[in-house]
Every structure is written in C-alpha cells, then in structure tokens.
Amino acid sequence: MSIKLQAVSKIFGETLAVDSVGFHVADGELVALLGPSGGGKTTVLRMIAGLEMPTSGDILIRGQRVNDLPVQKRNIGFVFQNYALFKTMSVHDNIAFGLKIKKWRRAERESRIEEMTELFGLGGLGKRYPHQLSGGQRQRVAIARALAPKPNVLLLDEPFGAVDAKIRQELREWLVRLHHDLNVTTVFVTHDQEEAMEVANRIVIFSRGRLEQIGTPREVYEQPANEFVARFIGVMNVLEATVPRGSARAGELEFPASGAPDGTQMRIGFRPYAVAVSNDLALYPYQAILVHTYFLGILLRVEFELPSGLVVRGRMTKEEYAVLGLENGRRVSIQIKAYRILARDDAPLGRELVSPISTPPHIAENI
C-alpha cells in the first residue's frame, strides 16, 4: 500500500489536534479527508507530506517509516489551497521548478513539461504568468507542477476552494479523469461533502481530531457510524425517542423496540428519501401538513408538520410532487420506510447501527 498511518497523534501546545488516527491508502486510490474546520484533516495531510511531524505514532509511505524523513526526500507532490505558484515565473518555469530541483537533464525536462502542458490542457500558455491565468488554469498549473517530477503520492489541500462553483464542478470532473489516466495515489482534503462523495473512492471522516469513519461514499451515506457522520453526510432527520411498552416514540412516530427497557433514550435517524407520502389520508398511519417546499432543481425538499409539532423532512422529484397535487398547507399521510438507531458521537467505530429488533413489513432495516 502507498500510505499507512498507525496511531498518529499531533499536539500543538496544549491542544490535541489529531488523536491516535490510523488508516491506509492503497496504491492508485483517490481518498478524501473530510470534516469540518478544526477537525484535524489538514494536519494529517501535512504530516503525511512532512510539513508537520507527528507527536506519536508512525507514518509509512510504500512500507518505509518516514517520521523523520524531510519533505524533499519523501517523493510527494503537494498542492496548496492557494496554489502557491511563483508569481515571477511563467507557466513553463513553474512546471519546471521541481524538475530542476531534482536535476533532470534539460532535454528530459523539456519533454516532461511539454507532456504535462498537453495533459493538463495548458498548451499555448507556457509563457504566461499566474496573474494572466484564470483560477481553473492556475489550479491546473499547480497540479502539473506537483506531478511533473513523478511523485509516489499526490496530496491536495482544499484543491478547489478558491474557485467559483461552476469552475469547481469542472475541476472535480477533470480530477477524476486525470486520476483515471495517471493512476497516481492521491489524497485530498475538503470540507465539502458533495465534493468528497463525487470524487473519492473512499472517504476518511474527521471531527475534533478523531477519525469518525472510513468507507466508500455509499457506505458512509447509507451506514453512518454515529450521529455526527449521519448529520454531516447528506441530510438526516434525527429524532429523540423514548421507549414505553416496546416502542420507541418521537411525537406520534413509533419505531419497534421490543426488548428495550422502558425509559430507554434513543436517537432515530432516517434520510429524507425514506419518507413515503400520499394524498390518500388512509394509506399511511400518520397525518401531517406540508409546511415548506424548497425548489432544488430536479428535486424538491419538503417539510411536513405532524399534529404534535414534530417536523419531518422529505425529498421527491418535481414529477412526484405534481402527481400528488401537493402545495403548502396540504394534508397528507406519511410513513417512515427505513430508519437507523444512531450511535452517539462517542460510540466506538464499528458499533452496530441497524436496529436488531424485529420490524414490520412497512419498515426496512437499512437505509
């Protein structure tokens, strides 16, 4: 494997920035380090690069322990959030920089620069300076410069944070194609859930310096390890429920809980797509009023209020909305088709999340 972290921690003064983190990145993987600001993801990336030293634990790159290895000897390409291009150097000279440091011969260097400018769509821009380029072009130059010396690993810190939404989407698609073509092991930091879900093979989720979950985009969305992940990845309805007489109840909603002692407190989570809606008031067991509709393009986000005041968020297409004849203030019947009992944020990674209790036919065990 390309990268392995073993119980890595980092302390700044009295602040524990990274708390005993361990994971691996296989050869050729594209992995996202995802989490809110202050979660520890950028510190982890900088420790892999050699820009920060771990307080404890080990970092291995291609099987070699690199804790004490200086950054220039790790054969890593690093792209900073603000590109860090040399303002007084042309595109050609920026890309050439690492090749000169590694003492490539001139002919080989020029051949590699030509190869990179073609691959990155920078043909004809070699003589331009950074201030003469668009944000997307500057980002591509930064990545070309990092990849030119043929590093073992490419590290990207918030690579698309400095460009607008349209360019960011184009760069995401471009990065996926580039990774497919080059197959270079890549780790990138982002706080954008959609970006991580769209681009990465696997996602490593951080919060408060802790590793919360590792998995494919589908795994972290459909099988969140705890409440933090459930709330952070996508939209999740999270209800506080109490068990009386074999059912977990939140407002009018009931979820089977046979075997759970009376008074047990639970958090029930379900995605908006798990909310079934009908204009037939007798079809589903709960009646609610549509109180808000949010237009999101192809999809609509809808909010339903039950008589107790409990609000449930759902999701449907424009076509489904039209067929049901919905409008704000309309009374409907709803059902929760699938749900999970969520582990608390401090629950150990890997704790079983799907309710072990039996479920009636109209409730699925997995979402």
Side-chain angles (χ1 to χ4, degrees):
M1 61 188 65
S2 280
I3 303 170
K4 187 174 184 180
L5 276 70
Q6 298 176 320
V8 171
S9 296
K10 179 64 178 179
I11 300 174
F12 293 103
E14 297 181 357
T15 301
L16 180 60
V18 176
D19 185 5
S20 193
V21 164
F23 65 92
H24 73 271
V25 180
D27 287 338
E29 262 199 303
L30 177 56
V31 170
L33 307 185
L34 174 67
S37 297
K41 56 191 185 298
T42 294
T43 301
V44 167
L45 192 78
R46 290 175 62 86
M47 285 192 289
I48 295 171
L51 299 173
E52 299 286 353
M53 298 298 113
T55 303
S56 61
D58 291 322
I59 299 173
L60 291 85
I61 298 178
R62 294 203 165 181
Q64 179 186 6
R65 183 178 181 274
V66 297
N67 288 40
D68 304 315
L69 199 66
V71 60
Q72 62 269 24
K73 293 186 177 181
R74 296 194 185 194
N75 196 24
I76 280 177
F78 196 101
V79 179
F80 295 90
Q81 182 177 359
N82 61 357
Y83 316 135
L85 296 177
F86 300 110
K87 297 179 181 179
T88 59
M89 290 186 185
S90 65
V91 168
H92 174 281
D93 292 345
N94 265 282
I95 297 174
F97 182 78
L99 303 175
K100 290 181 179 179
I101 294 295
K102 294 199 171 185
K103 302 187 185 307
W104 283 41
R105 294 180 180 178
R106 182 179 180 84
E108 293 174 341
R109 190 167 69 229
E110 292 302 317
S111 176
R112 182 62 172 168
I113 293 169
E114 182 178 353
E115 179 186 352
M116 298 306 286
T117 53
E118 287 297 319
L119 179 63
F120 283 74
L122 299 168
L125 302 179
K127 294 182 179 180
R128 292 193 186 181
Y129 289 84
H131 72 274
Q132 297 172 314
L133 303 174
S134 68
Q137 289 170 335
R138 288 196 294 271
Q139 184 59 280
R140 280 183 279 153
V141 172
I143 298 176
R145 182 180 63 183
L147 285 174
K150 298 184 178 180
N152 292 329
V153 174
L154 175 64
L155 305 179
L156 307 167
D157 186 10
E158 301 271 9
F160 311 134
V163 295
D164 63 43
K166 184 177 185 301
I167 299 300
R168 187 159 60 245
Q169 180 62 44
E170 292 174 356
L171 285 171
R172 288 178 192 169
E173 296 169 0
W174 170 79
L175 179 61
V176 171
R177 292 194 301 271
L178 178 72
H179 180 262
H180 180 269
D181 292 341
L182 298 181
N183 199 39
V184 62
T185 304
T186 303
V187 180
F188 73 99
V189 162
T190 182
H191 62 268
D192 186 323
Q193 299 93 323
E194 181 180 320
E195 184 168 282
M197 297 281 284
E198 184 176 341
V199 173
N201 303 134
R202 287 193 303 145
I203 301 173
V204 184
I205 301 173
F206 292 90
S207 173
R208 297 167 297 182
R210 296 173 48 202
L211 193 159
E212 300 287 351
Q213 186 171 359
I214 306 170
T216 66
R218 183 168 185 171
E219 285 169 347
V220 299
Y221 184 84
E222 295 185 347
Q223 301 169 39
N226 54 36
E227 184 181 353
F228 170 80
V229 177
R231 290 181 181 273
F232 192 72
I233 300 292
V235 177
M236 174 75 81
N237 291 281
V238 178
L239 307 180
E240 294 282 352
T242 303
V243 176
R245 299 181 299 280
S247 292
R249 296 184 180 179
E252 296 88 340
L253 301 181
E254 294 189 21
F255 304 89
S258 58
D262 283 1
T264 299
Q265 299 291 317
M266 295 181 175
R267 278 195 172 97
I268 305 294
F270 53 91
R271 298 290 185 188
Y273 66 72
V275 180
V277 182
S278 176
N279 51 19
D280 179 353
L281 299 183
L283 182 61
Y284 295 131
Y286 308 108
Q287 292 192 12
I289 294 174
L290 176 60
V291 290
H292 291 294
T293 301
Y294 301 92
F295 179 75
L296 303 175
I298 295 175
L299 294 176
L300 299 174
R301 192 174 83 232
V302 287
E303 292 183 354
F304 301 99
E305 185 174 339
L306 285 83
S308 66
L310 184 69
V311 174
V312 170
R313 292 172 292 179
R315 187 185 68 181
M316 62 182 63
T317 66
K318 292 188 296 183
E319 290 74 15
E320 290 170 330
Y321 190 90
V323 168
L324 290 170
L326 295 182
E327 59 183 14
N328 289 347
R330 180 75 181 268
R331 185 176 296 276
V332 297
S333 65
I334 66 171
Q335 176 60 292
I336 312 305
K337 298 184 296 181
Y339 67 93
R340 300 184 73 84
I341 296 174
L342 299 175
R344 301 284 176 167
D345 291 353
D346 57 356
L349 188 64
R351 172 175 168 177
E352 180 62 44
L353 298 176
V354 178
S355 170
I357 55 185
S358 60
T359 55
H362 59 268
I363 299 284
E365 287 194 55
N366 296 295
I367 54 176

